[in-house]
Amino acid sequence: MPFGALWECSTSVNNAIVLDPRTHLPLRFSTRGLFEPGTPNLQMYLVLFDDLLKEYCPRAQRHLKDEGLGPSAYAPKWFLTLFILQLPLAVVVRIWDVFFNEGFRVIFRVGLAIMMEVEEALLKLNGEEGFEFLKNVSDYIQFPESLLTKGLELPITKKKLRKMIEVYKKQHPNYRILSGPLLPRSDSHRKLLQWNGTKKGGRRVGLRM
């Protein structure tokens, strides 16, 4: 079935599936906000990732900060491509499988697992060396297939990320999470959203953690 038709009428047994017309992902897994002007969601993700790195990998976070190397220098492609260009395909398929269950939370988990795996090596590098190292970090991970397992062991819950987002929003009052339809709603699209309860206080279709 063409994606255009799927956008209009896709349904599952219990839930309406509404697709992002740019990425063809269900909106609750949409990458919208990563590619919008100013990349608001990406900027938020990078701040959240740095906070998580400080919690779970403090030595590496402190060292990279001292070297002027924040997540904005190496992590954007992780969120923009969902690791498709950074890790072996067999590993990426497993990550994407979890992504369609829990959304971007798994990207934080795997990203932290990567940093924990290479922490000792990073501590020996200066800023320029660290940048080159992280640009090709998969070359230095001996068992990339273990990253997802290690990442899923980290206690990064939906509740934890939601609290972090609330803190971020208070610190950045002009920020708003971009989610929901990108195109004007057709009649069939509007019916799908109504059926899914989005206008009646039901489960919201949008950014998923």
Side-chain angles (χ1 to χ4, degrees), residues 71-138:
S72 60
Y74 60 85
K77 59 185 178 181
W78 297 354
F79 291 97
L80 294 174
T81 69
L82 309 181
F83 292 112
I84 191 65
L85 300 178
Q86 291 79 45
L87 296 173
L89 182 59
V91 178
V92 172
V93 169
R94 294 180 60 205
I95 292 173
W96 282 31
D97 186 47
V98 179
F99 175 80
F100 281 104
N101 179 57
E102 69 173 42
F104 278 92
R105 186 157 51 115
V106 70
I107 308 302
F108 289 99
R109 292 173 183 265
V110 174
L112 289 170
I114 289 174
M115 299 301 284
M116 294 168 72
E117 185 78 10
V118 301
E119 180 177 25
E120 294 301 325
L122 279 174
L123 295 175
K124 302 174 183 178
L125 305 176
N126 61 34
E128 184 177 350
E129 293 169 336
F131 175 76
E132 292 298 324
F133 180 91
L134 289 170
K135 188 166 66 173
N136 303 290
V137 69
S138 62

Side-chain angles (χ1 to χ4, degrees), residues 29-203:
F29 310 111
S30 175
T31 54
R32 188 185 184 194
L34 299 184
F35 301 98
E36 297 293 312
T39 60
N41 285 355
L42 177 60
Q43 299 308 314
M44 179 185 69
Y45 288 164
L46 295 176
V47 171
L48 266 56
F49 184 78
D50 195 51
D51 290 342
L52 290 169
L53 191 62
K54 185 176 182 179
E55 179 177 351
Y56 292 101
C57 205
R59 290 191 302 159
Q61 192 273 345
R62 184 168 55 252
H63 176 71
L64 292 174
K65 183 178 180 180
D66 290 343
E67 293 294 331
L69 195 62
S72 60
Y74 60 85
K77 59 185 178 181
W78 297 354
F79 291 97
L80 294 174
T81 69
L82 309 181
F83 292 112
I84 191 65
L85 300 178
Q86 291 79 45
L87 296 173
L89 182 59
V91 178
V92 172
V93 169
R94 294 180 60 205
I95 292 173
W96 282 31
D97 186 47
V98 179
F99 175 80
F100 281 104
N101 179 57
E102 69 173 42
F104 278 92
R105 186 157 51 115
V106 70
I107 308 302
F108 289 99
R109 292 173 183 265
V110 174
L112 289 170
I114 289 174
M115 299 301 284
M116 294 168 72
E117 185 78 10
V118 301
E119 180 177 25
E120 294 301 325
L122 279 174
L123 295 175
K124 302 174 183 178
L125 305 176
N126 61 34
E128 184 177 350
E129 293 169 336
F131 175 76
E132 292 298 324
F133 180 91
L134 289 170
K135 188 166 66 173
N136 303 290
V137 69
S138 62
D139 295 341
Y140 305 99
I141 298 174
Q142 188 172 5
F143 301 107
E145 62 275 4
S146 68
L147 291 174
L148 180 59
T149 301
K150 293 179 180 178
L152 293 178
E153 291 174 351
L154 298 174
I156 301 174
T157 63
K158 294 179 183 179
K159 184 177 180 180
K160 181 183 184 72
L161 281 179
R162 285 170 180 161
K163 286 184 177 180
M164 294 176 69
I165 290 174
E166 288 305 314
V167 171
Y168 180 89
K169 288 166 66 177
K170 289 179 181 178
Q171 294 174 343
H172 302 79
N174 293 327
Y175 168 82
R176 67 181 182 86
I177 293 177
L178 294 178
S179 60
L182 295 175
L183 297 179
R185 296 175 180 175
S186 64
D187 289 340
S188 57
H189 181 199
R190 187 176 295 107
K191 289 178 181 178
L192 284 174
L193 291 179
Q194 288 176 334
W195 184 37
N196 205 38
T198 56
K199 286 192 174 182
K200 299 178 181 180
R203 183 174 57 80

